[in-house]
Amino acid sequence: MKRVNFASPGRWLRALVAALACATPFTAVADDWDMAMQQALRLDANGYTFLAIQQLESLSESYPDILRLKLELAALYLKVDQPDTAERYITEVLEDPNLPVKVRINAQMLQLNIQTAQSASQRQALTTLALTSGYEADREDAFVQVSAAARLTQAMSTLDFGGRPVPTQAILNVAGLVKQEFEPEDRPGLINVEAGLAAGGDRMRLSGGMGYQVSTDVDGPLLFLDNRWRASDWTWTLSNHWLYHGDGWNQSHRLSVQKNMTQRWRIQGFGRYRWLTDNDRDRDQRELGLGQTLVWQQWRWQSDIDYDLDGEYWAVDTGLDFRLNERWRLGTAIGTEDLENTADNWYSEVSVRWTH
């Protein structure tokens, strides 16, 4: 589901305010307030939106008849996800009986966007269903797997962090799968539930929380901590997961780097480290993984390799999928692995995926 982010109005809002300002009558000497207003707007441009609001609030108290100040305050309050306060300022502008017709029409358009932000739900949901069918050579058996995942985010208050606005969200992730093998009659499955909090915006975002996993292999509580940085066309993401079970802690750490080359294609590389405790085998399993993802228009190609640092295991996987539209994807994948000198250990599969 596409997300409408009213916390970041974008260029259209700044352009609308500028158009209003050009036609707005001012009733005071510009030298007394215009320079201070420009300083406040520079603070906003540098990310200190709350400091800019404080300065404009002070100016508006000193010059209550300057409509430009109220327009800027309405835009900034909408930017920090406070549409109720933005509505109050735009209403004061529209109550001016001497407001030119053109300015009034544009102000009403801004008011409509503010009211849309007030009525829009801040709850976002993403659901994915996938059906996969394939063949595993080591078992000489076909399989069918059904998986589902849901992610729910609820917008919370915007924090004032040193004058900078920091939006926060509550997170709930639920994922599960069941795999049916025909011979022997085996049905592996997994259910994973996570809940936590996230803070940050487009440039940097930190999220963390806890949950619980139930599977045919291991059950136990888990912790997660993710951090994402974005600079220009580069995006860095560090994901950490810890799962506790009877034998100890399983750890998974993944660092990915994505580069948007053009509007049509992008490339992503990642490194992964996993430490799995296993008292039954009287040793810990430490894995190092490397991979890449190449996206070009509707096509996506992925490949990765995992290697056991003790030399007892390696695996190579590659897959290609095609996006039919915004909701449907068709994919295929093949892979092979060597686990303690097991021969003919390869698989192939096809899948269909639906996202809403």
Side-chain angles (χ1 to χ4, degrees), residues 196-249:
L197 296 174
D202 292 336
R203 293 186 178 181
M204 187 174 70
R205 177 183 173 88
L206 178 66
S207 59
M210 61 184 60
Y212 199 88
Q213 175 179 306
V214 178
S215 71
T216 53
D217 296 326
V218 60
D219 301 342
L222 59 87
L223 302 173
F224 70 92
L225 180 65
D226 300 331
N227 200 350
R228 186 191 67 194
W229 306 268
R230 179 173 296 169
S232 185
D233 294 330
W234 293 87
T235 302
W236 303 73
T237 304
L238 177 62
S239 300
N240 304 278
H241 285 77
W242 297 268
L243 171 66
Y244 181 78
H245 55 92
D247 294 336
W249 288 89

Side-chain angles (χ1 to χ4, degrees), residues 91-319:
T91 299
E92 291 181 15
V93 173
L94 291 171
E95 287 176 350
D96 190 331
N98 299 319
L99 195 65
V101 175
K102 184 176 180 179
V103 177
R104 182 175 297 278
I105 293 174
N106 290 331
Q108 289 171 343
M109 292 175 59
L110 179 58
Q111 185 184 43
L112 179 62
N113 286 303
I114 294 172
Q115 291 172 346
T116 302
Q118 289 174 313
S119 60
S121 172
Q122 298 299 303
R123 182 176 300 162
Q124 307 293 333
L126 180 66
T127 305
T128 302
L129 299 175
L131 175 64
T132 304
S133 178
Y135 179 80
E136 295 176 329
D138 62 328
R139 295 176 177 265
E140 297 183 350
D141 193 12
F143 69 89
V144 175
Q145 177 177 294
V146 178
S147 61
R151 179 179 178 86
L152 180 66
T153 59
Q154 174 66 55
M156 302 176 68
S157 59
T158 300
L159 303 179
D160 183 352
F161 186 75
R164 295 177 180 269
V166 179
T168 60
Q169 291 179 324
I171 304 171
L172 177 63
N173 296 323
V174 180
L177 67 87
V178 61
K179 180 179 179 182
Q180 175 65 59
E181 298 177 352
F182 296 96
E183 294 181 3
E185 290 293 336
D186 192 9
R187 190 177 296 169
L190 177 146
I191 298 177
N192 192 352
V193 179
E194 299 175 348
L197 296 174
D202 292 336
R203 293 186 178 181
M204 187 174 70
R205 177 183 173 88
L206 178 66
S207 59
M210 61 184 60
Y212 199 88
Q213 175 179 306
V214 178
S215 71
T216 53
D217 296 326
V218 60
D219 301 342
L222 59 87
L223 302 173
F224 70 92
L225 180 65
D226 300 331
N227 200 350
R228 186 191 67 194
W229 306 268
R230 179 173 296 169
S232 185
D233 294 330
W234 293 87
T235 302
W236 303 73
T237 304
L238 177 62
S239 300
N240 304 278
H241 285 77
W242 297 268
L243 171 66
Y244 181 78
H245 55 92
D247 294 336
W249 288 89
N250 286 353
Q251 303 180 37
S252 176
H253 310 280
R254 186 178 190 271
L255 175 63
S256 66
V257 181
Q258 178 176 301
K259 167 66 173 176
N260 294 326
M261 307 301 290
T262 66
Q263 292 183 349
R264 292 187 173 184
W265 70 284
R266 65 182 185 271
I267 189 170
Q268 180 187 65
F270 70 86
R272 176 177 57 232
Y273 175 76
R274 292 193 297 180
W275 187 337
L276 308 178
T277 57
D278 190 348
N279 289 344
D280 293 336
R281 301 178 62 187
D282 197 27
R283 75 174 189 87
D284 292 344
Q285 181 178 341
R286 297 172 299 142
E287 294 179 2
L288 181 65
L290 297 173
Q292 61 83 33
T293 301
L294 179 63
V295 178
W296 182 72
Q297 294 185 348
Q298 287 83 18
W299 295 92
R300 180 173 62 186
W301 172 51
Q302 303 178 83
S303 62
D304 64 81
I305 181 172
D306 288 295
Y307 178 73
D308 183 3
L309 296 180
D310 294 325
E312 297 188 12
Y313 170 85
W314 60 265
V316 178
D317 303 273
T318 186

